[in-house]
Amino acid sequence: MKQLETQYKKMLMDYITYQSEKNLYIAQNFTRQLIQKNVAPEDVVGIHKNVMKEILPQTSNEEQHAYDFLIEVMVQYGMTHRAHQSLLQKQAEYDMEMKIAADIQKTLLKTIVPQLANVDIGMVSIPIRKMNGDYVHFLAEDKKYVCVAVTDVIGKGVPAALCMSMVKYGLETLEYTYKEPPYVLEIINRVIEKSVDDSMFVSMFYGYFDIQKSTFSYASAGHEPALHYSAKNNQFSTLEAKGLLLGVLPDTKYAFNEVTIEENDIIIIMTDGVTEFRFHDDFNARDLITTIIEKNKFLSAQQLCTLLYEQIEQMQDFKLSDDFTVVIIKK
Amino acid sequence: MFKTSVEIMTEWDIVEARQIGRQEAKMLGFNTVDQARITTAISELARNIYLYAEVGTIEIERIETEGEKRIIITAVDKGPGIQDVRKVMQDGYSTSGGLGAGIPGVNRLMDSMVIQSNVGEGTTIKTEKWLR
Ligand SMILES: Nc1ncnc2c1ncn2[C@@H]1O[C@H](COP(=O)(O)OP(=O)(O)OP(=O)(O)O)[C@@H](O)[C@H]1O
Ligand SMILES: [Mg+2]
C-alpha cells in the first residue's frame, strides 16, 4: 500500500502541476493496476486523503473530515464490488463445469449409426448450443431389424442433458419390448414422469423396422411426424401418430401404426429444428424437404442427411434456431 | 483487554454500537479506512439483529497484548436463528429481499468470522480483525 501511495503521490503532483491529458492517461493505467491488485475503493480514497495531507499540509480539518465521510461511503461500494468479483469468479467456475459436462454428455450420448447389409442408414445431429437437446438411439441386428428412437427435450442446458441420460438408460434396458413401439413409449414415459422435474418434457418418435417382413411400425409421443417416400408411387406420405409428450401423465397410451416398406423407399425422421423456419413464415418446410429428397433420392442416406442440413442451414442464413437432427433410412 | 456491550433494540442503538466500535478501533491504532471497515461490519451485524431477532447485543473487545492487537466483535441474539449457515455466507442470499451482501461483506471486511446458530434458539456471530 505504501508503494502505491508513493506512485499515486507522484502522479497527482504531476497532474496538479501540468494538468495534461498525458497525466490523466497515466492515471487510467494506474487504476487498471489497482483493480488487478484488488485494491478496494475505500483504500483508494484513503490513499488520496493521505497524499493530500502530504502535498498540501495546509488542507483544512473540514476537508479531512470530508475524506473520512467519503471513505465511509466507499466501504459500502467496496463490499458490493467484492461480492460482484466473487460472483464473476464463480461464473468462470460454472462455465468450466459446463464445458466438462458438455464433453461428458457428448461421450455418454454418442450415437453409433448401425452399418447393415440391406439397409442404408444416415444421421446428422447438430446442437446450436454446447449441449444437444436432441438424441438418437439405434438398436439393430443385421438382416433382422433396426429400431430407432429420435428424441427432443423441451428445455435446454444441463437439466435437458440429464433428462436425456435417463432416456438413454431407459432405452438400453428395453430388452424384448423393443419390437413394440407403443410399449416402448409407455415405459420411457413412466421413467421420465417419475424421475424428472415437472417442467421437463420429451418428444419421441420410435420406429421398428422389421427387415425380414419389410414393415416399419412406429409410435410417437408428441414428436414431429416422419416422412415416408414410396419409390413405386414416387410419393411422400406423412407418418403421423397421436400421442402425448413423455413425462406429462403417468399412464399415457400410445397408438400403434405400421407401413410396408418396398425397394428404394426412404424414411425420414426429424426433430422440429428441421422444420421450423424463423425467417420464412409463409414457407412450407416439408415441401422443401420432400423436394430435396426426391431430387437426390439416389444419394446414400448419409449424403441425403448432410445435404438436407446444408440446404436448410443456408435457407436460414446459417442461423438455425434449434438443435437439428435428421435420420434417414433407405431400403 | 477491554470489553463493551451495546444492547440493540432500536436503530439508535446501531448508531451507538458503531460509535463505540470506531472509538475502540481508533484506540488500537487502525487507520481511517480500517476504522470505517470495522464500523461497517458492526453496523451490518447490528442491523441484522434489529431486523431478524429484534433484540440482541453487540460486544466489542479490544485485545492489546505484546505484539498483538486486535478487535473482536460478537453479535449475540436469541432470535429465530439461521437455518442454513452455509447459505448466508454466500453472496446474494437473503430472506428479506435485501441485497444479501451483509454477512459475506462482514466476512471480507474483517479477518475471521464464526457463525453459530440454532433455529429457534438464536445466533452468535464472532468476527475479528488484527492490526497489521
Ligand atoms: N441475527 C440473525 N437472526 C436470524 N437470521 C439472520 C440473522 N442475521 C442474518 N440472518 C439471515 O441471513 C440472511 C442474510 O443476511 P445478510 O445480512 O447477509 O443479508 P440481508 O440482511 O438479507 O441483506 P442486506 O444485509 O444485504 O441488506 C438474512 O436474510 C436472514 O434471513
Ligand atoms: Mg443484513
Side-chain angles (χ1 to χ4, degrees):
Chain A
M1 210 58 87
K2 222 48 242 156
Q3 194 202 338
L4 290 176
E5 207 168 295
T6 317
Q7 267 178 285
Y8 189 83
K9 184 177 166 188
K10 186 175 178 317
M11 289 186 316
L12 184 60
M13 278 169 70
D14 285 350
Y15 179 68
I16 291 171
T17 315
Y18 305 110
Q19 286 156 55
S20 78
E21 197 56 49
K22 184 178 154 221
N23 298 136
L24 291 177
Y25 176 64
I26 290 170
Q28 191 201 347
N29 287 342
F30 180 71
T31 313
R32 204 169 284 160
Q33 203 184 320
L34 292 177
I35 291 168
Q36 259 166 10
K37 285 185 178 153
N38 270 324
V39 178
E42 64 266 26
D43 279 320
V44 178
V45 180
I47 290 173
H48 185 76
K49 180 193 161 189
N50 293 343
V51 168
M52 284 301 279
K53 208 171 171 177
E54 277 178 49
I55 61 178
L56 301 171
Q58 69 276 27
T59 23
S60 67
N61 262 341
E62 279 87 351
E63 266 173 273
Q64 290 288 310
H65 293 328
Y67 284 129
D68 290 343
F69 188 85
L70 184 55
I71 286 172
E72 205 67 29
V73 171
M74 288 328 250
V75 166
Q76 208 68 38
Y77 265 96
M79 265 169 69
T80 315
H81 172 68
R82 274 176 290 232
H84 185 73
Q85 272 182 319
S86 93
L87 287 175
L88 279 181
Q89 196 186 338
K90 226 178 257 168
Q91 169 158 28
E93 282 162 23
Y94 285 149
D95 281 353
M96 191 66 206
E97 276 175 29
M98 185 73 186
K99 203 193 152 304
I100 295 169
D103 289 346
I104 293 175
Q105 191 213 16
K106 246 181 231 145
T107 322
L108 204 66
L109 298 180
K110 192 169 164 48
T111 303
I112 296 156
V113 181
Q115 304 288 320
L116 306 178
N118 305 329
V119 183
D120 180 18
I121 304 169
M123 179 188 94
V124 160
S125 184
I126 313 265
I128 52 157
R129 293 207 288 178
K130 278 198 191 110
M131 300 259 192
N132 198 340
D134 293 349
Y135 172 61
V136 181
H137 188 93
F138 288 104
L139 193 67
E141 202 175 318
D142 206 7
K143 301 199 174 94
K144 287 193 176 151
Y145 69 90
V146 54
C147 304
V148 57
V150 177
T151 53
D152 183 354
V153 175
I154 296 151
K156 294 265 174 287
V158 178
L162 290 175
C163 181
M164 213 51 110
S165 307
M166 300 277 314
V167 171
K168 178 188 165 131
Y169 177 75
L171 287 167
E172 272 173 355
T173 50
L174 286 177
E175 295 188 1
Y176 297 104
T177 58
Y178 63 84
K179 289 182 183 177
E180 297 293 327
Y183 195 61
V184 170
L185 294 185
E186 280 157 32
I187 292 173
I188 305 292
N189 176 55
R190 242 170 278 146
V191 172
I192 294 176
E193 205 277 329
K194 245 191 259 161
S195 41
V196 183
D197 185 86
D198 278 350
S199 65
M200 191 74 67
F201 302 113
V202 181
S203 78
M204 182 186 287
F205 185 95
Y206 188 89
Y208 170 75
F209 182 22
D210 189 320
I211 298 170
Q212 282 163 344
K213 284 200 262 168
S214 210
T215 54
F216 184 75
S217 54
Y218 61 95
S220 168
H223 197 85
E224 189 69 27
L227 288 168
H228 171 214
Y229 171 73
S230 158
K232 192 175 69 190
N233 306 323
N234 192 26
Q235 241 175 23
F236 282 89
S237 56
T238 306
L239 301 184
E240 223 146 354
K242 284 214 164 62
L244 206 56
L245 288 167
L246 303 172
V248 182
L249 292 171
D251 290 315
T252 311
K253 294 276 176 248
Y254 296 92
F256 177 89
N257 303 268
E258 194 172 71
V259 284
T260 306
I261 304 296
E262 286 169 83
E263 211 57 41
N264 297 322
D265 278 9
I266 304 172
I267 292 166
I268 305 117
I269 309 163
M270 58 217 130
T271 56
D272 55 12
V274 178
T275 52
E276 257 163 33
F277 282 72
R278 262 203 303 191
F279 305 125
H280 308 266
D281 287 340
D282 53 340
F283 203 84
N284 188 337
R286 287 184 171 263
D287 285 349
L288 175 74
I289 295 163
T290 52
T291 312
I292 296 173
I293 302 270
E294 207 210 313
K295 261 196 222 150
N296 302 283
K297 58 190 172 215
F298 300 112
L299 290 177
S300 77
Q302 188 56 48
Q303 282 169 327
L304 269 176
C305 289
T306 310
L307 185 72
L308 268 181
Y309 176 69
E310 284 168 356
Q311 301 242 330
I312 290 174
E313 191 193 26
Q314 195 175 27
M315 289 282 309
Q316 301 249 57
D317 294 335
F318 302 96
K319 288 180 208 120
L320 293 176
S321 54
D322 199 357
D323 303 326
F324 183 109
T325 298
V326 61
V327 171
I328 289 183
I329 301 173
K330 273 181 87 172
K331 186 177 154 85
Chain B
M1 195 191 98
F2 185 82
K3 189 165 163 178
T4 328
S5 333
V6 183
E7 202 79 25
I8 304 295
M9 293 168 84
T10 70
E11 275 198 285
W12 294 115
D13 301 325
I14 302 177
V15 175
E16 197 191 334
R18 289 177 57 113
Q19 194 168 6
I20 294 169
R22 195 186 301 273
Q23 267 168 20
E24 297 298 302
K26 199 172 180 176
M27 245 184 269
L28 277 164
F30 283 104
N31 66 26
T32 332
V33 176
D34 278 340
Q35 287 171 33
R37 288 185 176 130
I38 291 163
T39 308
T40 303
I42 293 173
S43 211
E44 290 291 337
L45 295 177
R47 210 162 58 93
N48 280 355
I49 290 179
Y50 174 72
L51 284 176
Y52 308 116
E54 289 176 21
V55 289
T57 322
I58 296 281
E59 291 169 14
I60 299 160
E61 279 174 81
R62 169 158 49 94
I63 310 278
E64 268 181 280
T65 56
E66 275 168 65
E68 191 198 43
K69 287 186 179 186
R70 65 194 154 115
I71 193 161
I72 307 176
I73 316 293
T74 316
V76 186
D77 68 63
K78 295 193 162 50
I82 296 170
Q83 212 158 46
D84 192 339
V85 173
R86 225 162 20 114
K87 267 196 189 145
V88 303
M89 293 288 286
Q90 286 169 5
D91 290 300
Y93 176 78
S94 174
T95 57
S96 65
L99 286 176
I103 290 176
V106 171
N107 190 29
R108 291 194 190 98
L109 294 171
M110 304 291 283
D111 289 329
S112 80
M113 179 162 89
V114 179
I115 303 178
Q116 274 181 318
S117 188
N118 287 317
V119 173
E121 288 173 24
T123 304
T124 301
I125 302 181
K126 183 176 169 182
T127 175
E128 311 189 356
K129 195 170 185 72
W130 286 267
L131 184 72
R132 264 171 272 258

